[in-house]
Amino acid sequence: MFHIQEKQIQTAFRDLVRIRFGVEAEIVIEQPKQSSFGELALPVAFQLAKALKQAPKKIAADLVEAAGAMPGVASLEVAGNGYINVRFDRGAYGAGLLAGEGEQPAAAAGKTVVEHTNINPNKAAHIGHLRNAVLGDTFVRMLRALGHQVEVQNYIDNTGVQVADVVVGFHFLEQKTPAEVAALIAPEEPGSLRFDYLCWDLYARTSQYYKDHPEALAWRAATLHEIEANHGPLAEMAHLVADAIVNLHLATMLRLNIQYDVLPRESEILHLQFWASAFELLKDRKAIYLEEEGKNKGCWVMPSSAFRGEGDANEDSKVIVRSNGTVTYVGKDIAYQLWKFGLLGKDFYYHPLTRYTDGHDVWVSADTPQPRPAPAFGKATRVYNVIDTRQSYLQDVVVAGLRALGFDAQAEQSIHFSYEMVALSPRCCADLGIELSEEDARRPYVEVSGRKGLGVKADDLMDKLIESALGEVASRHPEDNPVAQQAVAVEIAMGALRYFLLKFTRNTVIAFDFQEALSFEGETGPYVQYAAVRAGRILNKLEERGETLPDFRAELSREAMARQLENEDCWQVLLAASRAGSALERAVTAGEPAHMARYAFQLAQEFSNFYQRFKVLDEPDRERRTFLLWMTEFFALQLKRTLSILGIAVPAYM
RNA sequence: GCGCCCGUAGCUCAGUUGGAUAGAGCGUCUGGCUACGAACCAGAAGGUCGCAUGUUCGAAUCAUGCCGGGCGCACCA
């Protein structure tokens, strides 16, 4: 509702400025510093002052004069040195909300692909992976809430070095056969170490072994070779490992309510020769060339001018095809990016991998035709790649590849949704019993490292959060049955975790700290959940007392609405609650899920304040009580919607 | 060496793209529970927005230069 009003005023003033002054101006709308200034503030007059050579105050007065009466607006005032402050017609605004205006998002044209998670399937997921997945998933929810058609892709590098290293560990270090590895994946005896945890340790051990025995790197090369040829026991083992761990990653992410549509895999990109098609395109359009001298002699390279800035002195080109004829990661990524836009002229085959309990299928790529018809994947008009900021340079090369091929529009719509890493605070390392080198101990934080086995595993963290939440639930509701307690604890724990990962803006390094992540008070997910639960409880209590919710539309006339909203506190609270749409649009435009999280917190704060101040059920005045009940219901709905955009559930009780 | 990011309250972070008196949470201190259950609320203290020039009606925000920290710049992914 709020953003509809906002937009109306924006277009009204754009027209006004054009008619009155003959100028096209971008109308900026702000929230006034103080609520006493009204609901919206327009600094247009300042913008125009220079061009028109007039005082801002005079321009503002002119505009207010020319504007006259506007629908939904009670008054326009010139304030300060030339601000135009807008006050809404409160009765009309309330009536509009009651009528449910402005709830349907306009459907957007085209499909948006969001690629996130992308964990190497060779070990358990850690907190860094969680940040990626939660950011990606939340952004997907935000886009969908705005009416966009979104496809979620999770790229699986099942043929890479990381998987190979775990295979090296099993085969060369532990002399295990594929059958023995399969037994580890589905262990007979309960209580055995889960497979992704086991691989976590093995991967760290293999990495250390390379360090101590550099000659062992030949094992890696041999393994990669066999994986690429796709036959032999090592290749078989690689498939076993990767498939098993992909399943575990899906389960881990599902705990956080994160789902996918399709898993494109590196193995199919190889087998279906996506690269061969991309290579032909790149050669045809002269985007890459065969280097004939220097250190890159014999390689196909992309010239640095394609992806570096003008003034960049670094002249190094980027190798796309190695001198031995194999393609680099970036090359494969260009092919993949082309496919996402439907520009490659090839497609995967697909088969359903699993079905979520809500009936939604996750599909995975296949290299041969499959019996079940699959949805149309790819062919996006816009692509977001959720990848950490350290890969900016490579993402630039991929986009430069599109541009060099003449796909400027698609290059423009290839968005690196970058974010900073999750590191470990020194205190967190101490909690984990990790010994730090003297150099590391002096740093503000320590980088997570899969190779060193240094990090907080996603499932461990979730378990810890659930345990902590369960303690709280059990002490507050000792009478409730353990199954229900557990369910509530899980929702609280996951809410806390998602919120914790979202409250930081994308380019802030999170120095992970158990104490902060485990907090359920203050600016946290549970705080917001608690507000939603309390709103719901008022409505439930009403029913317990044998009453039913009034028919608000029948009982609250526009005049009654205006009367009730004369109360400044009620008005401010209602305004805040109705800003969800506006907050969502701004957050999507800024590409910042953190903004949505912040709005959720503010909304919860407003409600907590309202809850404290107005005793809804004890209110003696009939009209006022009806109004307060309506506000409560409205809050409950807004809180629930906002939380669902953040992927956070509203528990049955708290 | 080159490129990107960061520096805001004791701590952790926001700051709506250049606007009105710089905001939250945590921590500290003071006060508030008889079920609309306090995972909450009210209040207080706490700031040279790293430093310096500049741009203009107006700068935490833009430009330049320093200082301090982080991350990239492979025929690894």
Side-chain angles (χ1 to χ4, degrees):
Chain A
M1 179 68 190
F2 191 87
H3 66 297
I4 308 258
Q5 190 72 264
E6 229 175 5
K7 275 193 185 142
Q8 278 177 2
I9 286 164
Q10 200 169 29
T11 46
F13 269 91
R14 194 176 298 134
D15 293 346
L16 206 56
V17 168
R18 189 188 308 117
I19 294 164
R20 184 71 183 74
F21 299 115
V23 183
E24 283 298 330
E26 182 61 31
I27 308 296
V28 176
I29 295 199
E30 293 168 8
Q31 202 177 313
K33 263 287 185 264
Q34 285 175 45
S35 54
S36 61
F37 290 160
E39 282 70 65
L40 299 175
L42 310 184
V44 222
F46 297 114
Q47 279 169 251
L48 298 175
K50 201 167 192 180
L52 301 176
K53 295 202 164 71
Q54 289 182 39
K57 236 174 178 166
K58 182 169 182 306
I59 299 172
D62 270 8
L63 286 171
V64 168
E65 170 86 32
M70 295 172 96
V73 173
S75 74
L76 295 172
E77 295 157 16
V78 179
N81 285 325
Y83 271 96
I84 298 172
N85 289 340
V86 182
R87 288 178 201 280
F88 291 173
D89 177 337
R90 298 183 180 186
Y93 191 80
L97 280 177
L98 185 55
E101 280 174 22
E103 292 193 358
Q104 266 66 42
K111 176 162 64 169
T112 301
V113 160
V114 176
E115 180 201 350
H116 67 76
T117 305
N118 301 1
I119 313 174
N120 270 301
N122 76 324
K123 61 180 178 305
H126 59 62
I127 37 174
H129 301 128
L130 287 184
R131 186 178 195 184
N132 181 305
V134 168
L135 269 177
D137 181 66
T138 304
F139 195 59
V140 167
R141 288 165 186 270
M142 287 163 60
L143 290 171
R144 284 180 174 156
L146 273 186
H148 289 81
Q149 188 200 341
V150 183
E151 175 177 306
V152 185
Q153 301 187 357
N154 174 7
Y155 178 73
I156 308 293
D157 183 4
N158 59 343
T159 61
V161 171
Q162 293 212 20
V163 168
D165 282 349
V166 168
V167 171
V168 165
F170 278 128
H171 180 82
F172 293 99
L173 295 183
E174 306 206 327
Q175 272 92 41
K176 283 197 165 44
T177 63
E180 285 168 322
V181 172
L184 290 172
I185 290 168
E188 304 262 318
E189 41 194 300
S192 11
L193 188 60
R194 44 186 286 188
F195 188 66
D196 53 347
Y197 280 29
L198 189 149
C199 289
W200 173 287
D201 295 334
L202 182 59
Y203 179 53
R205 223 174 327 135
T206 307
S207 301
Q208 185 59 44
Y209 192 86
Y210 288 144
K211 248 186 181 169
D212 301 337
H213 309 84
E215 69 280 4
L217 284 167
W219 294 341
R220 176 196 274 173
T223 305
L224 280 170
H225 187 77
E226 205 172 292
I227 290 173
E228 187 152 347
N230 197 24
H231 101 351
L234 296 178
E236 188 188 340
M237 205 183 279
H239 274 301
L240 282 172
V241 169
D243 290 353
I245 290 189
V246 164
N247 285 331
L248 289 164
H249 286 166
L250 292 184
T252 298
M253 294 308 168
L254 193 56
R255 295 179 77 184
L256 278 165
N257 220 350
I258 297 170
Q259 300 189 354
Y260 308 91
D261 295 317
V262 63
L263 313 181
R265 302 190 304 181
E266 173 108 337
S267 49
E268 277 71 53
I269 288 188
L270 286 176
H271 301 158
L272 295 170
Q273 308 199 334
F274 274 30
W275 168 244
S277 302
F279 194 24
E280 287 312 309
L281 271 174
L282 289 164
K283 279 192 290 192
D284 279 359
R285 311 228 180 155
K286 311 258 188 286
I288 60 176
Y289 66 93
L290 185 59
E291 184 65 74
E292 284 170 356
E293 54 194 22
K295 62 174 179 172
N296 292 333
K297 186 177 177 187
C299 299
W300 286 86
V301 303
M302 189 183 292
S304 66
S305 55
F307 54 90
R308 298 258 192 200
E310 295 280 317
D312 199 322
N314 194 327
E315 294 296 324
D316 279 358
S317 343
K318 182 71 197 166
V319 172
I320 305 296
V321 180
R322 303 184 187 99
S323 52
N324 67 5
T326 57
V327 59
T328 60
Y329 163 75
V330 193
K332 282 181 277 195
D333 222 25
I334 291 172
Y336 177 35
Q337 191 76 0
L338 285 169
W339 169 78
K340 286 180 194 160
F341 281 111
L343 297 173
L344 190 66
K346 269 187 180 167
D347 198 358
F348 298 104
Y349 301 105
Y350 306 91
H351 67 85
L353 179 66
T354 50
R355 174 168 292 185
Y356 296 115
T357 49
D358 66 1
H360 182 75
D361 286 317
V362 198
W363 295 73
V364 62
S365 59
D367 53 12
T368 53
Q370 299 291 312
R372 249 185 78 181
F377 294 116
K379 301 187 176 66
T381 53
R382 174 176 288 187
V383 173
Y384 289 93
N385 295 325
V386 183
I387 301 177
D388 87 69
T389 186
R390 288 172 290 189
Q391 299 201 38
S392 295
Y393 162 70
L394 293 166
Q395 284 290 303
D396 288 348
V397 176
V398 170
V399 172
L402 292 188
R403 199 160 273 133
L405 290 170
F407 299 124
D408 284 328
Q410 286 81 359
E412 209 59 46
Q413 296 301 317
S414 295
I415 298 154
H416 178 197
F417 200 82
S418 69
Y419 63 94
E420 267 291 355
M421 62 179 167
V422 181
L424 307 177
S425 71
R427 184 167 67 185
C428 176
C429 292
D431 289 347
L432 291 168
I434 295 168
E435 297 239 352
L436 294 179
S437 68
E438 228 171 274
E439 196 192 346
D440 279 347
R442 273 198 297 272
R443 293 168 182 270
Y445 44 77
V446 182
E447 205 174 331
V448 170
S449 165
R451 246 180 274 282
K452 293 180 194 158
L454 185 61
V456 177
K457 294 187 195 80
D459 284 295
D460 284 352
L461 175 60
M462 288 190 256
D463 291 344
K464 211 162 172 166
L465 277 158
I466 291 168
E467 188 191 328
S468 172
L470 188 57
E472 294 289 329
V473 172
S475 74
R476 284 158 212 257
H477 303 275
E479 74 293 343
D480 198 31
N481 76 74
V483 178
Q485 284 179 348
Q486 174 74 16
V488 168
V490 167
E491 288 181 339
I492 291 172
M494 298 308 121
L497 182 52
R498 283 191 71 121
Y499 194 94
F500 174 77
L501 291 168
L502 288 171
K503 73 194 274 192
F504 302 93
T505 50
R506 279 162 34 204
N507 61 8
T508 297
V509 177
I510 300 179
F512 183 82
D513 187 291
F514 279 109
Q515 196 166 310
E516 281 177 42
L518 286 167
S519 167
F520 298 149
E521 288 167 15
E523 197 194 339
T524 65
Y527 176 92
V528 185
Q529 290 175 310
Y530 188 55
V533 166
R534 296 217 283 188
R537 198 161 46 213
I538 293 176
L539 303 174
N540 288 340
K541 268 284 180 330
L542 187 77
E543 285 183 21
E544 280 173 29
R545 294 184 185 182
E547 297 181 57
T548 50
L549 268 187
D551 178 353
F552 295 122
R553 293 190 192 189
E555 294 201 25
L556 285 173
S557 68
R558 185 171 165 148
E559 290 71 30
M561 205 54 106
R563 264 195 302 279
Q564 295 302 327
L565 288 171
E566 270 174 37
N567 179 307
E568 194 60 31
D569 291 328
C570 286
W571 173 239
Q572 290 306 328
V573 156
L574 183 64
L575 266 179
S578 62
R579 265 193 252 269
S582 179
L584 176 61
E585 272 189 16
R586 285 171 195 257
V588 167
T589 305
E592 225 17 300
H595 291 173
M596 205 59 213
R598 184 155 283 266
Y599 171 73
F601 176 64
Q602 281 164 356
L603 182 62
Q605 266 186 323
E606 289 293 343
F607 178 76
S608 296
N609 183 285
F610 169 85
Y611 182 91
Q612 194 81 17
R613 188 168 295 203
F614 302 101
K615 298 296 163 195
V616 178
L617 296 179
D618 297 338
E619 173 57 45
D621 181 77
R622 185 187 153 86
E623 181 184 286
R624 184 152 188 80
R625 187 169 186 258
T626 303
F627 171 76
L628 291 175
L629 275 171
W630 172 68
M631 290 265 279
T632 304
E633 192 198 38
F634 183 64
F635 256 118
L637 185 66
Q638 291 291 75
L639 281 162
K640 187 176 177 172
R641 278 186 186 157
T642 305
L643 279 170
S644 106
I645 291 176
L646 299 178
I648 297 175
V650 178
Y653 61 82
M654 279 180 79

